[in-house]
Amino acid sequence: MLACPCSAFNLRATAAPANPDISNPEPEPKVRKLKGSPQFNRWYRARALRSGHKLERPSHGTGALEVNPSAQRTSETLSLEPTSTANDSDREVEITDSGKPIYMVSDGTGWTAEHSVNAALGQFEHCLVDRGCPVNTHLFSGIDDVERLMEIIKQAAKEGALLVYTLADPSMAESAKQACKLWGIPSTDILGPITEAIAAHLGVSPSGLPRGAAGRNIPLSDEYFRRIEAVEFTIKQDDGALPQNLSKADIVLTGVSRTGKTPLSIYLAQKGYKVANVPIVKGVVLPKGLFEVDPEKVFGLTINPLVLQTIRKARAKSLGFGDNARSNYSEMAYVKEELEFARKVFAQNPTWPVIGKHN
């Protein structure tokens, strides 16, 4: 049997120690107990079955779920133990099948294949738990030659496995398809159909190279470094920091707290713009540099008072301030006063475009 990373249900290595020490047996592994709602326990059992844990019925009847940590992933030659028992809050299910194998083959990291299979298995949790139909998932990544591919497919045929593959090389994908057809193996090509559809839509042939392949190494461009520099600049200038650098910014955003200055700044920075943002706070003098930069670079942000109050209340709550905490930060009267103060600042600088709805 091929050695592979597996997530089989209740796996046991066939190789045993040559001279087991019977007089000093290893201590029994501690059993983790999970308590929660029936829905949570049911979800956990389904996930545990897919990831190779052995589920045991607790003897105390508390409804806690016990997971045997001795059943772990292994890359040795494995044999399957047949049974285990899982219990729900109101029923007991005997799992008499060691699990149907699913082989995932990729010429890259296998991320796409593995996550696609896991997403699909999520549609069968009712079966994995309630009806006892566990599966063994085996991931083979970095398969970049036909000989290795054929070995895996032959093994899949012996075990009666479903073969799922993401092979960027069309010749490799075709070889897998024909081999599965020849040996009667159910198979699914995850990557091929969508790649062909996009190629037809764009009118461009795909590269046929897996992610991470040497031929796909693209040199970092000046544009890339420009965006990195813009992001670094923007983070340093957040919330009025380093006002002496305002003149170096491509864009300056100003407005009262929680009008979206920071997220907009980061978004623009990822486009390559160096952005500074300056908060407007009632009673606090704005930095002199704000009025000295090119006015075409400055943009004011405003917002509806009711929306702003809602946002500020949520912000205060996330910071641990309860509803009974006294603060004018989210009080409507103060919100309106601060917005009015910002409106006057904008009015004194009519060349600044103002974005957002005040009313």
Side-chain angles (χ1 to χ4, degrees), residues 312-314 316-318 320-327 330-331:
R312 287 189 172 185
K313 282 184 176 180
K317 188 175 182 180
S318 70
F321 297 106
D323 295 334
N324 297 328
R326 298 296 300 173
S327 172
S330 58
E331 290 182 0

Side-chain angles (χ1 to χ4, degrees), residues 80 84 93 137 144 197 202 211 213 228 259 285 288 323 331 340 353 355-356:
L80 304 177
S84 181
V93 180
T137 57
D144 54 3
L202 298 179
R211 285 184 295 182
I228 294 298
T259 49
V285 179
K288 183 179 179 181
D323 295 334
E331 290 182 0
E340 179 61 21
I355 303 171

Side-chain angles (χ1 to χ4, degrees), residues 18-173:
N19 296 305
D21 187 354
I22 301 176
S23 60
N24 295 305
E26 294 185 2
E28 290 293 327
K30 293 183 179 179
V31 175
R32 290 186 292 130
K33 298 179 180 180
L34 300 176
K35 293 183 178 181
S37 66
Q39 293 86 352
F40 173 80
N41 287 339
R42 181 180 179 187
W43 170 86
Y44 189 90
R45 281 192 295 275
R47 183 175 180 182
L49 286 175
R50 293 207 306 270
S51 59
H53 287 127
K54 179 179 178 181
L55 301 181
E56 298 177 349
R57 186 180 183 185
S59 58
H60 42 72
T62 62
L65 181 65
E66 297 188 356
V67 181
N68 186 349
S70 63
Q72 299 292 336
R73 294 193 179 200
T74 175
S75 58
E76 300 179 45
T77 302
L78 303 172
S79 66
L80 304 177
E81 291 182 356
T83 63
S84 181
T85 303
N87 78 300
D88 206 334
S89 59
D90 58 352
R91 61 184 298 184
E92 177 178 323
V93 180
E94 289 289 335
I95 301 175
T96 58
D97 191 352
S98 60
K100 291 184 176 292
I102 299 177
Y103 277 29
M104 302 173 290
V105 182
S106 172
D107 51 9
T109 63
W111 189 95
T112 301
E114 187 173 29
H115 282 71
S116 297
V117 169
N118 284 338
L121 286 175
Q123 299 298 313
F124 299 94
E125 289 186 351
H126 61 286
C127 172
L128 292 170
V129 175
D130 292 348
R131 300 175 190 172
C133 56
V135 298
N136 307 332
T137 57
H138 308 253
L139 175 62
F140 301 86
S141 59
I143 307 303
D144 54 3
D145 65 76
V146 175
E147 184 177 352
R148 293 174 65 196
L149 178 62
M150 291 302 107
E151 290 177 359
I152 295 168
I153 294 177
K154 288 178 182 177
Q155 186 63 41
K158 291 179 181 178
E159 294 193 9
L162 165 68
L163 188 80
V164 176
Y165 55 94
T166 54
L167 299 168
D169 185 340
S171 63
M172 288 279 288

Side-chain angles (χ1 to χ4, degrees), residues 241-255:
L242 304 177
Q244 66 272 21
N245 290 336
L246 288 175
S247 60
K248 300 178 182 178
D250 299 316
I251 298 172
V252 179
L253 303 178
T254 185

